[in-house]
């Protein structure tokens, strides 16, 4: 989903070269070295294992796909002396605080997925400290992928009522909004940590209601519920909102408000 948007929305003057699982095993040093025979000016590492619940029972695969791939890519970027953007997650925080997490906040992951993403962050910074930019984002949706708004619309076709969690808060973020920021960070950003989400915050209940509203669906009622009513294998942060001020200073503006971005995505998706 994110990789596809990076290819569709590449800025003028950038010749983006994609790599997929079918092309390269990014955890294999030899295959990564072969990939880097092409001379790149920079890399955005958007691949990863994102099945949060499955990771609880298969942390080894999640670690390979998240941390080991990042290790090999960071090593190749360090050797080539080029900048690297590593896409990470808001889930590296435990969600116990009420205010947004700043870039200097101490990570405290709750589950296997988050642990492997934090390991990826630390690995990249250790191997390529002068070239790595860590970009934490969250609650992503976009073209060509599985995501929460799409799931809500699918369920609405066969349900007249949906129960949706209303005690977890984050910032729904469109890949259309995120991708330009990733390119800016790659080209202009200094090494270090950035937070990148759409402006504002919502609960999953808020996002579900807005999704149906923008799609013109009136036949399905959304009912708020608590996380405890829908236990999942992986614990989620209660609050994973991020302070994106460093990115705002770099770009001169924040990402779009989450409702505006969702509305734009809904119009395009329906078209």
């Amino acid at each position: 989903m994110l990789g596809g948007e990076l290819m569709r929305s590449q800025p003028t003057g950038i010749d983006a070269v994609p790599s997929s699982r079918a092309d390269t095993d990014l955890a294999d040093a030899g295959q990564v070295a072969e990939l880097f025979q092409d001379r790149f000016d920079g890399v955005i590492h958007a691949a990863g294992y994102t099945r949060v619940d499955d990771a609880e029972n298969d942390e080894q695969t999640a670690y390979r796909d998240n941390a080991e791939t990042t290790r090999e890519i960071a090593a190749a970027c360090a050797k080539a002396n080029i900048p690297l953007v590593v896409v990470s997650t808001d889930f590296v925080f435990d969600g116990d605080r009420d205010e947004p997490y700043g870039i200097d906040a101490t990570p405290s992951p709750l589950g296997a997925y988050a642990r492997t993403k934090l390991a990826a962050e630390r690995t990249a910074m250790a191997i390529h400290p002068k070239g790595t930019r860590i970009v934490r984002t969250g609650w992503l949706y976009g073209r060509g992928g599985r995501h929460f708004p799409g799931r809500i619309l699918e369920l609405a076709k066969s349900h007249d009522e949906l129960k949706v969690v209303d005690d977890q808060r984050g910032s729904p973020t469109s890949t259309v909004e995120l991708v330009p920021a990733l390119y800016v960070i790659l080209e202009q950003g200094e090494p270090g940590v950035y937070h990148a989400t759409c402006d504002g915050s919502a609960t999953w209940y808020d996002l579900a209601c807005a999704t149906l509203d923008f799609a013109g669906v009136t036949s399905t009622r959304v009912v708020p519920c608590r996380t405890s009513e829908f236990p999942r294998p992986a614990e989620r942060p209660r609050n994973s909102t991020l302070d994106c001020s460093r990115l705002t200073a770099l770009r001169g503006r924040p990402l779009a408000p989450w409702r505006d971005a969702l509305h734009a995505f809904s119009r395009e998706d329906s078209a």
Side-chain angles (χ1 to χ4, degrees):
M1 182 174 69
L2 181 55
E5 196 60 50
L6 282 161
M7 294 306 301
R8 282 188 292 268
S9 301
Q10 54 190 288
T12 302
I14 287 184
D15 181 18
V17 179
S19 179
S20 71
R21 184 183 296 273
D23 301 325
T24 306
D25 179 355
L26 295 176
D28 184 289
Q31 292 191 40
V32 172
E34 184 176 349
L35 177 66
F36 271 70
Q37 286 181 354
D38 289 333
R39 300 183 66 86
F40 302 128
D41 297 310
V43 171
I44 298 176
H45 180 29
Y49 184 110
T50 59
R51 298 189 299 276
V52 176
D53 288 321
D54 291 348
E56 293 301 307
N57 294 317
D58 193 7
E59 188 165 352
Q60 183 177 359
T61 299
Y63 186 87
R64 185 183 194 277
D65 288 355
N66 289 334
E68 293 182 11
T69 61
T70 303
R71 178 190 65 208
E72 299 305 332
I73 292 171
C77 288
K79 183 177 180 180
N81 194 28
I82 58 175
L84 166 65
V85 168
V86 175
V87 180
S88 190
T89 175
D90 55 344
F91 275 26
V92 299
F93 299 113
D94 59 19
D96 281 350
R97 61 194 295 178
D98 294 327
E99 65 271 18
Y101 284 86
I103 59 173
D104 295 325
T106 301
S108 181
L110 295 175
Y113 162 73
R115 286 193 295 271
T116 65
K117 293 297 285 186
L118 181 58
E121 289 186 16
R122 290 172 172 171
T123 296
M125 292 302 297
I127 292 174
H128 191 27
K130 295 182 179 180
T132 296
R133 293 100 167 117
I134 304 296
V135 182
R136 296 177 183 139
T137 188
W139 295 37
L140 282 186
Y141 63 88
R143 294 179 283 184
R146 294 185 300 172
H147 46 73
F148 182 83
R151 179 62 175 158
I152 289 295
L153 290 174
E154 187 64 30
L155 288 171
K157 295 177 182 178
S158 56
H159 294 72
D160 55 16
E161 182 177 289
L162 297 174
K163 277 191 172 184
V164 181
V165 168
D166 196 31
D167 58 358
Q168 295 174 28
R169 180 166 292 276
S171 298
T173 300
S174 165
T175 56
V176 172
E177 282 294 313
L178 177 61
V179 160
L182 295 179
Y183 279 115
V184 168
I185 292 168
L186 180 69
E187 291 191 284
Q188 303 174 24
E190 294 295 323
V193 176
Y194 295 82
H195 288 169
T197 60
C198 279
D199 203 27
S201 69
T203 66
W204 293 113
Y205 168 78
D206 296 332
L207 179 54
C209 290
T211 296
L212 295 180
D213 182 33
F214 292 148
V217 176
T218 58
S219 56
T220 300
R221 175 171 172 251
V222 184
V223 179
C225 69
R226 302 189 65 79
T227 299
S228 58
E229 296 179 54
F230 285 94
R232 305 288 294 274
E235 186 178 357
R236 267 70 169 175
R238 177 182 59 83
N239 171 42
S240 63
T241 56
L242 303 175
D243 179 346
C244 301
S245 55
R246 186 184 188 191
L247 176 62
T248 298
L250 176 66
R251 299 175 73 230
R253 65 186 189 281
L255 272 63
W258 73 266
R259 290 184 63 90
D260 292 351
L262 180 65
H263 194 195
F265 174 75
S266 299
R267 290 200 307 269
E268 183 174 317
D269 197 43
S270 61

